Amino acid sequence: MAPRRRDTRPARVFDCEEWSGLGCDVLVTLLLPSVVILHLVASPYTKVEESFNIQAAHDILTYGVPTKDVSSYLRVHYDHFSFPGVVPRTFAGALVLATASKVGIALGVGGQSAVRGALGLFNGIALMFFRKTLAETFGRGTANWYALLQASQFHVMYYASRTLPNMLAFALTTVALAVLIPVTRTPRARAPTDLRKRYRLSVYLLALTAVVFRAEVAVLLGSVLLYHLYLRRSTLLLRYVVPAGVVGAAVGLLMTVSIDSLFWLQFPAWPELAGFYYNAIQGKSVAWGTSPWWYYFGNVVPRLLMNPLAWQLCIPVAVGMKATRQVSIDMLAPVLGFLAVYSVHPHKEWRFVVYVVPCLTAVAALGANWIWTRRAKSILYHFLSVVLVASMLGTFGASLGMLGLSRLNYPGAEALQRVHSLVEKPGSIVRMHSDTLSCMTGITRFLEDESPLSLVRWVHDKTEDPQKLLDPLFWNQFDYALAERPELVIGKWEIVDTVDGFAGVAFVRSYLTTTTTLTTDEEEEEHYDEGVQQEEIPPTGAFKEKKTNEPAAGRSLPKNLTRRVLDSRWWSKAESFLRKNVTRGYWVTIKMQPKIHILKKQA
């Protein structure tokens, strides 16, 4: 009789029987894509750093992919020839999103929301897969803590549906790191077939992502390979991961060159290589700011994890306890190595390293579940469990608060919708000019097409040339204009409305107000690949100002949801009650300031 094999797996200290119900499991799993879609619905507009992919998806959906007269067709219809950006970007992601969004559009979803929804679901499903892998490896308790910690974070949930190149790469990197999680439970000396498959798939996805979408993923790939070579203590690993990496890079290169050579009208076109050369080799990215070497560790990671107990308590517990130490190190080491190497680059932004969040959150979930499953064993664990639950609720509340503030950062999109509501005459042709700030804060081709009156033909202009903007004849062609500075608009114009935008937070007591410098990440972020140069122009316009926010022609103009809440009577009563009976006069209020003026040409 053959001897029984010894079970080398660690004791299942990670599971929690109370969380093992199927209903709870399904609800927590669906929480991840649901929160992503919630952020999309609450804040449906986009900003300049997302513009390339959202405009490209619009053009593919609206004009299709030409098969003849390609050059003239693309130059006439596609936005990227009018606004090419500092460096080229790949059309691969936009092509996939445009194709996937057709289902949502067929169901009646708006084009922009359908495209963003497709990306949000891709990233949401990737996070669900990551959670599923954690459940199979460490138990449902850890997986459910992961889902709660991940869903309560602001950055990943808010940006998961936003068409940044980094978020196009995020789903692929998340899956690539997820398939390596079971490797942490495999004995060091073994290399089974399943292990080889996991290594191959992970390396293949990371290599393809680095070639097509984001070059910094190559650093993550190198960190993963070096650590797992050390982990296995064998160069045999190279025999099956190197071919996978070569194949992934080759497939990615074939994909991006074939797609982008068509859309950029040059061969060979490899946009990510051009971006890497411009930013890393030529060092042009430093023009958009630099940060100290510790910035990712001391600032970015705490902000991305958001819950302070995730990195101050849960991760130290997971690393400190013997039962969870090795698996925690196996997940932490590759992503921390990536952070350390990438910290050498002087220009730093959180989106460059967002790929590390799932692994860091998974280790925090290990620590949280360790504390939670022992809450009945000692007063300390019981206290820490209560604090964990309270911090989770607080983080969800803070995330929703940041969502409310962030949706105030799109005055350009709101101004465009208000202009659409002003035109009541069907069959007319309306010409409108949008200035730089309007275009940077929400105006897209999708929104330009979404006029409530389908019989109105809109002609939109986004001219930035200072010489043309100084020509009075240039302004004679327009009926409406969106302007940050109305005095620069030449001719006789009437300000029919003004759209406010977020300008910080004020701490108030009685009649004394102190303004803080608190801003959302969208305002403080600098983007090296979307620079816009502006030139000072002396005031030359003549305009008549109308009362701000007064409806024109008797029509009720749409308001931002956050503004409707803050201006409502019930909110005013609640604020008065709380200030009088709870906070003793202290209060936190949102500061708004005029951002975009809507001008109508006078007869």
Side-chain angles (χ1 to χ4, degrees), residues 422-437:
L422 296 174
V423 179
E424 296 180 324
K425 184 180 179 181
S428 59
I429 299 177
V430 182
R431 294 176 171 83
M432 186 181 75
H433 171 77
S434 301
D435 71 352
T436 300
L437 182 62

Side-chain angles (χ1 to χ4, degrees), residues 130-197:
F130 197 96
R131 181 212 165 272
K132 177 177 178 291
T133 307
L134 285 175
E136 294 172 348
T137 309
F138 303 123
R140 287 176 175 171
T142 298
N144 289 342
W145 273 109
Y146 165 79
L148 291 175
L149 288 168
Q150 187 73 75
S152 66
Q153 296 167 4
F154 172 74
H155 290 80
V156 170
M157 296 293 106
Y158 185 78
Y159 284 91
S161 66
R162 298 190 168 274
T163 53
L164 294 166
N166 313 79
M167 300 317 295
L168 294 174
F170 182 78
L172 296 174
T173 60
T174 299
V175 172
L177 294 173
V179 298
L180 291 180
I181 290 176
V183 171
T184 63
R185 299 291 293 269
T186 305
R188 297 286 191 273
R190 297 175 58 192
T193 303
D194 178 66
L195 180 64
R196 291 197 293 268
K197 289 180 179 179

Side-chain angles (χ1 to χ4, degrees), residues 202-217:
S202 179
V203 171
Y204 172 86
L205 290 175
L206 291 175
L208 184 146
T209 305
V211 169
V212 178
F213 295 112
R214 293 299 304 184
E216 68 262 15
V217 176

Side-chain angles (χ1 to χ4, degrees), residues 66-74:
T67 56
K68 58 181 180 179
D69 298 327
V70 175
S71 178
S72 59
Y73 189 87
L74 290 176

